Amino acid sequence: MKLTTHLHYGGNCAEALRFYEEHLGAKISFMMTYEQMPEPKNIPPGCEQGVLHASIRIADATIMAGDAPADRFQPMRSAYLALSVDSDEEAERIYALLTDGGEIILPMAETFFALRFAMLRDKFGILWMLIHERPMPAGA
């Protein structure tokens, strides 16, 4: 059994995945538009240029994605992509990148469990948690 995350975008899936590929070191492994689907095509109105299905690898996770028809799209509301990084500098770099044009939900800060932790929505509507974990004693 395998569990994979699937993200819905509101018409900007290709732009978002290319952004993650360029700035987060992700790798797009597959992308097909609605127009590229085989016959018989059943393309929702307004989705002709949208992404029907894509797959991207971010860190050690594979994420599937696509554009939802406008009448079915809603931005993410209660699930986050949690991205763990290895340094404060990397946390700050990604935070600046993803908050540009996005929404800060919880500003980057040091916590009892993390050297850096933040929650945000990027400009594509995706919710993220960024964490540079604080070393914890064994058994804690």
Side-chain angles (χ1 to χ4, degrees):
M1 189 179 305
K2 181 178 179 181
L3 178 66
T4 304
T5 300
H6 189 282
L7 303 176
H8 274 139
Y9 290 85
N12 58 2
C13 179
E15 179 186 0
L17 298 189
R18 288 186 185 110
F19 181 87
Y20 303 147
E21 190 172 50
E22 179 180 348
H23 298 288
L24 298 181
K27 177 71 177 147
I28 298 170
S29 54
F30 180 82
M31 191 176 318
M32 175 187 279
T33 65
Y34 281 91
E35 280 190 334
Q36 294 170 321
M37 80 167 58
E39 298 292 342
K41 296 183 181 191
N42 184 13
I43 302 172
C47 286
E48 295 80 10
Q49 300 301 313
V51 173
L52 171 66
H53 176 70
S55 179
I56 188 169
R57 188 115 178 116
I58 301 177
D60 60 352
T62 297
I63 297 173
M64 294 187 296
D67 286 309
D71 64 334
R72 288 188 250 155
F73 175 73
Q74 291 186 12
M76 286 177 77
R77 296 167 57 114
S78 60
Y80 287 75
L81 296 181
L83 185 61
S84 296
V85 298
D86 295 327
S87 70
D88 290 352
E89 295 76 22
E90 186 72 348
E92 296 289 348
R93 181 189 75 79
I94 293 172
Y95 178 75
L97 180 78
L98 294 179
T99 56
D100 184 20
E103 172 190 0
I104 296 169
I105 295 166
L106 185 67
M108 180 73 69
E110 187 171 346
T111 70
F112 72 93
F113 60 87
L115 297 169
R116 294 287 186 277
F117 180 76
M119 297 169 64
L120 61 102
R121 181 185 306 276
D122 71 18
K123 65 184 175 184
F124 306 107
I126 301 302
L127 293 169
W128 293 85
M129 286 183 187
L130 296 176
I131 186 168
H132 176 209
E133 292 184 70
R134 178 180 299 284
M136 294 292 185

